[in-house]
Amino acid sequence: MLQTINDKAKGWIAYAIVIFISIPFMLFGIGSYLDGGEKVVAATVNGEDIDISAVTTATLQQKQRLTSIYGTLPPQLDDKTIKEQVLDDLVTRELLKQSVAEYGYRASDQEVGDAIRGMPTFQKDGQFDETTYEQLLTANRLTRGTFEQQTRDDITLQQLTSAVSSTGFVPKQQAALYQSLVNQERSGQTYTLRADAYKAKVTPDADSVKAFYESNTSRFMSDERVKLDYLVVDQAEIAKGLDVNEEQLKAYFDENADMYRKPEQRKVSHILVSLAKQDKEAAEKRANELYEQITSGTSDFETLAKTASDDTFAAEQAGDMGYLNVNDMDPEFAKAASALKVGEVSAPVLTSSGYEIVKVTDIKAEELETFDAVKDRVDSAYRDASAADVFFSQVDQLRTQAFENDGSLDPAAEALGAEIVTSDWITRTSGEGIGESSKVREAAFSEAVLNNRFNSDMLEITPTRAIVVRLNTHEEAAVKPFAEVEKEVTDAYIDSESRKLTVAAGEALLAKMNETNDWSALETVAELVPEDVVQFDKLKRNDRKTTPQVVQEVFKMQAAEEGKVSFSNTILPNGDYVIVGLSKVVDGDTEVSKGSLASFQSEISRREQDALLKAMREQAEVEINPSALE
């Protein structure tokens, strides 16, 4: 609907339409608005309809949940993706509802009542509160009957899924066997034929390279790309361009004097009795004993700070911690230090570090810096503050003009007194300048900008930089001319052929090893070096001692007879051919903890539920209305 407004209505007409459609939403809620017109079906499940209003409401709720979790919607979750997930969940729920009706599941009144009374949302001081219950239902436009039916449906569905879950049973013997396999250790060796070593054996001729190019054109495509016209509002640039005089700066300085005031600083020393070495009672007793020695004259503060403090770093300076702002101190420490005059010592105070005895040795009074001393800082702060107002005003102008005149940036440029700029080439994944922003790239290849050639929405690149873009030039992805990529094609041909040679050599060598069940075949090939065999010992499934491909292959292999080696192979992404020899398998510990058994049980239960839902979907007649996802 909003896209239609954007397409057809501008200026006061657009605002009138927005206000008009907003009134029903405010008065009756989204559900009432949608239900008031012709019923639109989002999907049909075994003849039962799922209304579009249910999808709309559930989508809104899901977006609110995601926003509360992430702060903003993740970029990969656009409206269509969320709607697809929501509709899929609603179809699953409808299938479950049909199943519970068929099998006779139904939550009792007692179960429904207990569930509602137990919901923390409806409780006050730990007890169910009838008034709170009624108020929350009214606020969410729900009647008691509707909410209680929803609760009954939820409990009933849970009865079915719980019944299925309970059929998932794992005997301890099976869990022990599984644990033994998971913790299994395997030993053996690997030998690698390097694809790079075979590149020297490839002689690229012109015909072969050209044929390779023609058979693999998809590997030599240029990226789809665009150039964009854009207008940007940048608070930093606005600040630079402001005309500022000294009279304005002095007035700003006077109005914001607290920003240029040096706070009082106190030079403090302390004796720390840490709680890390003893309990609170013992630490308090020791701190009081030290304080008594100071006040009685038995010892002085500096001596005890050197010999008895648990702050060994400050002890080297007789407890001196230097000049500190009160706001930088622990709250209790600050309270004690603020109450002291120069030379006075506090009684022990409990802070986050322990018990501390505080002494103030000097005080630097609060000081207001002169205008001349901070003129540069005042200028920067004044410009930032003034530019912020201009920035928000210009952003509002740009948004309004770009929306009302979505076929051109000229009116917005005229209103701002700015020049339209054209970007360098931007692809879907990269670009320079504004193309570095994923928001710009996403907008550039959106339906509205790329195909409909509208201005984009306002894009907030940073909190102080906003931009609107529109398409200038669009180039489709295309096969690059052979002359342009000849070297790239030649390198790709050599790489492809060297991989084939590597595999051929590896297969031949593997066949010999499978005949002998040992590594002696390496000695029959002059160019191979038996010393390059690499040993792996006690390899586990999650080890990183070697590549993931090798680990995966090792644990797929069958162990050979004792004294022999079983062989297999894997090919690495870079084309290297790795021959894997397995010589020893040791089963893991079979002891199964209660936690592990519970995990096995939970996994089996989850699989049972998944299997049930999969079977329901396969047997059901489900029709999806594509327009419901638009």
Side-chain angles (χ1 to χ4, degrees):
M1 180 177 288
L2 292 180
Q3 184 60 59
T4 303
I5 294 172
N6 183 64
D7 294 353
K8 305 296 184 183
K10 304 299 173 187
W12 69 268
I13 299 175
Y15 297 127
I17 294 174
V18 170
I19 293 170
F20 177 76
I21 68 170
S22 298
I23 293 173
F25 279 83
M26 292 186 289
L27 294 179
F28 306 108
I30 293 174
S32 301
Y33 176 74
L34 291 172
D35 290 339
E38 182 182 351
K39 182 178 179 181
V40 179
V41 175
T44 303
V45 182
N46 292 329
E48 295 293 329
D49 293 339
I50 296 176
D51 194 74
I52 188 66
S53 62
V55 179
T56 303
T57 302
T59 299
L60 178 61
Q61 292 171 344
Q62 179 70 341
K63 289 169 72 173
Q64 290 172 339
R65 280 193 291 268
L66 292 169
T67 302
S68 68
I69 294 171
Y70 298 106
T72 184
L73 284 178
Q76 66 272 26
L77 291 179
D78 55 20
D79 278 355
K80 185 176 181 181
T81 302
I82 295 175
K83 280 185 178 179
E84 288 173 347
Q85 294 173 349
V86 163
L87 184 54
D88 186 69
D89 289 342
L90 290 174
V91 169
T92 298
R93 184 176 177 86
E94 179 59 34
L95 286 169
L96 288 171
K97 285 175 65 177
Q98 293 175 14
S99 294
V100 299
E102 180 182 353
Y103 298 129
Y105 288 95
R106 189 177 189 276
S108 68
D109 292 342
Q110 182 67 40
E111 288 175 312
V112 174
D114 289 345
I116 292 175
R117 283 189 292 272
M119 294 179 182
T121 307
F122 303 135
Q123 293 181 356
K124 193 173 184 180
D125 299 326
Q127 298 293 324
F128 176 76
D129 183 70
E130 187 77 26
T131 303
T132 302
Y133 179 54
E134 293 286 356
Q135 288 175 345
L136 287 175
L137 291 185
T138 300
N140 287 278
R141 297 183 176 88
L142 291 170
T143 65
R144 290 179 70 115
T146 300
F147 181 72
E148 288 167 11
Q149 185 59 48
Q150 289 178 354
T151 305
R152 189 185 303 278
D153 290 344
D154 289 339
I155 297 173
T156 304
L157 295 183
Q158 190 175 5
Q159 288 176 344
L160 173 60
T161 55
S162 296
V164 174
S165 298
S166 64
T167 64
F169 174 70
V170 182
K172 193 168 184 179
Q173 295 86 343
Q174 285 189 344
L177 175 60
Y178 176 79
Q179 184 129 317
S180 171
L181 291 172
V182 167
N183 295 324
Q184 194 179 81
E185 295 179 340
R186 297 191 166 205
S187 301
Q189 307 81 27
T190 62
Y191 186 84
T192 303
L193 282 74
R194 311 286 179 188
D196 282 349
Y198 288 84
K199 286 184 177 180
K201 298 183 178 183
V202 180
T203 303
D205 61 88
D207 290 341
S208 298
V209 172
K210 190 65 181 291
F212 181 82
Y213 165 76
E214 292 171 351
S215 300
N216 297 273
T217 53
S218 62
R219 297 177 60 175
F220 308 107
M221 300 283 289
S222 63
D223 290 324
E224 181 185 14
R225 59 183 188 170
V226 296
K227 284 187 177 182
L228 301 173
D229 290 336
Y230 65 93
L231 286 171
V232 64
V233 179
D234 190 326
Q235 184 172 318
E237 292 301 318
I238 294 171
K240 289 179 185 177
L242 291 176
D243 290 328
V244 178
N245 57 51
E246 190 157 313
E247 183 179 345
Q248 291 170 316
L249 296 181
K250 285 183 177 179
Y252 184 82
F253 173 77
D254 291 338
E255 291 169 5
N256 299 274
D258 287 344
M259 293 173 54
Y260 308 102
R261 195 182 303 275
K262 288 184 179 179
E264 178 189 88
Q265 290 188 316
R266 292 187 167 230
K267 190 176 185 184
V268 294
S269 301
H270 79 145
I271 299 171
L272 171 66
V273 180
S274 174
L275 295 177
K277 298 183 178 181
Q278 56 207 304
D279 61 33
K280 182 180 176 183
E281 185 177 348
E284 183 179 16
K285 180 180 178 181
R286 180 165 172 261
N288 285 328
E289 289 172 351
L290 294 174
Y291 181 65
E292 176 63 27
Q293 292 181 49
I294 296 170
T295 56
S296 66
T298 305
S299 184
D300 60 75
F301 181 94
E302 285 70 26
T303 299
L304 292 177
K306 289 180 180 178
T307 60
S309 178
D310 290 333
D311 184 347
T312 55
F313 181 79
E316 296 176 1
Q317 310 297 325
D320 185 15
M321 302 173 71
Y323 285 97
L324 299 174
N325 293 338
V326 173
N327 291 338
D328 295 334
M329 302 176 186
D330 176 276
E332 293 302 317
F333 189 101
K335 185 177 178 181
S338 298
L340 298 174
K341 297 178 181 178
V342 174
E344 289 183 341
V345 177
S346 76
V349 293
L350 181 60
T351 71
S352 58
S353 300
Y355 282 95
E356 297 187 74
I357 302 171
V358 184
K359 182 176 182 179
V360 173
T361 57
D362 191 23
I363 298 175
K364 288 183 178 179
E366 180 182 74
E367 177 186 348
L368 178 63
E369 296 180 279
T370 66
F371 172 77
D372 289 338
V374 295
K375 183 177 179 180
D376 289 344
R377 286 165 51 196
V378 174
D379 180 82
S380 178
Y382 176 78
R383 288 178 180 276
D384 285 344
S386 301
D389 293 335
V390 178
F391 173 76
F392 289 118
S393 174
Q394 290 190 1
V395 164
D396 189 53
Q397 279 186 297
L398 178 57
R399 178 187 290 111
T400 301
Q401 292 293 334
F403 171 75
E404 293 188 348
N405 305 279
D406 61 8
S408 172
L409 285 177
D410 291 337
E414 184 177 350
L416 294 174
E419 291 186 6
I420 298 172
V421 184
T422 302
S423 72
D424 292 328
W425 287 110
I426 296 172
T427 70
R428 292 180 182 269
T429 58
S430 64
E432 295 183 357
I434 64 168
E436 294 177 359
S437 168
S438 59
K439 291 182 179 180
V440 169
R441 296 196 302 272
E442 184 179 347
F445 290 93
S446 67
E447 178 76 12
V449 174
L450 186 64
N451 297 327
N452 296 337
R453 294 181 175 264
F454 293 142
N455 295 334
S456 73
D457 293 333
M458 174 69 70
L459 308 175
E460 185 181 283
I461 307 303
T462 70
T464 59
R465 194 163 187 257
I467 190 172
V468 170
V469 304
R470 70 174 290 104
L471 184 66
N472 176 292
T473 308
H474 175 219
E475 282 190 3
E476 295 279 5
V479 179
K480 297 177 183 177
F482 178 75
E484 182 181 320
V485 292
E486 184 173 0
K487 184 180 186 309
E488 183 182 346
V489 175
T490 302
D491 291 342
Y493 170 77
I494 293 173
D495 180 73
S496 176
E497 293 301 305
S498 65
R499 286 170 181 257
K500 292 177 184 177
L501 293 175
T502 306
V503 170
E507 293 293 324
L509 183 59
L510 180 62
K512 293 180 180 179
M513 290 180 172
N514 281 325
E515 290 176 3
T516 61
N517 296 118
D518 59 32
W519 291 92
S520 60
L522 285 175
E523 300 172 0
T524 65
V525 182
E527 62 190 46
L528 302 183
V529 183
E531 290 77 12
D532 287 346
V533 172
V534 178
Q535 183 78 23
F536 60 85
D537 292 312
K538 298 181 178 180
L539 188 71
K540 290 188 174 182
R541 296 176 188 272
N542 60 350
D543 272 349
R544 295 294 179 265
K545 296 176 182 177
T546 182
T547 64
Q549 293 84 1
V550 170
V551 175
Q552 184 178 13
E553 190 61 35
V554 166
F555 281 93
K556 285 167 54 179
M557 297 170 64
Q558 294 288 331
E561 299 175 13
E562 188 173 350
K564 293 186 178 181
V565 181
S566 62
F567 288 97
S568 185
N569 77 288
T570 186
I571 300 174
L572 302 185
N574 64 356
D576 290 351
Y577 188 100
V578 183
I579 295 177
V580 182
L582 178 63
S583 56
K584 186 177 181 181
V585 176
V586 178
D587 288 336
D589 184 12
T590 58
E591 184 66 28
V592 181
S593 66
K594 289 184 178 179
S596 296
L597 190 60
S599 296
F600 296 146
Q601 182 74 42
S602 176
E603 177 62 19
I604 293 297
S605 297
R606 185 190 64 77
R607 292 183 183 182
E608 292 290 342
Q609 288 190 36
D610 289 348
L612 170 67
L613 295 175
K614 183 179 180 182
M616 286 181 175
R617 292 297 285 262
E618 289 174 349
Q619 296 170 16
E621 293 182 6
V622 179
E623 296 180 10
I624 303 295
N625 177 7
S627 65
L629 301 174
E630 293 178 357

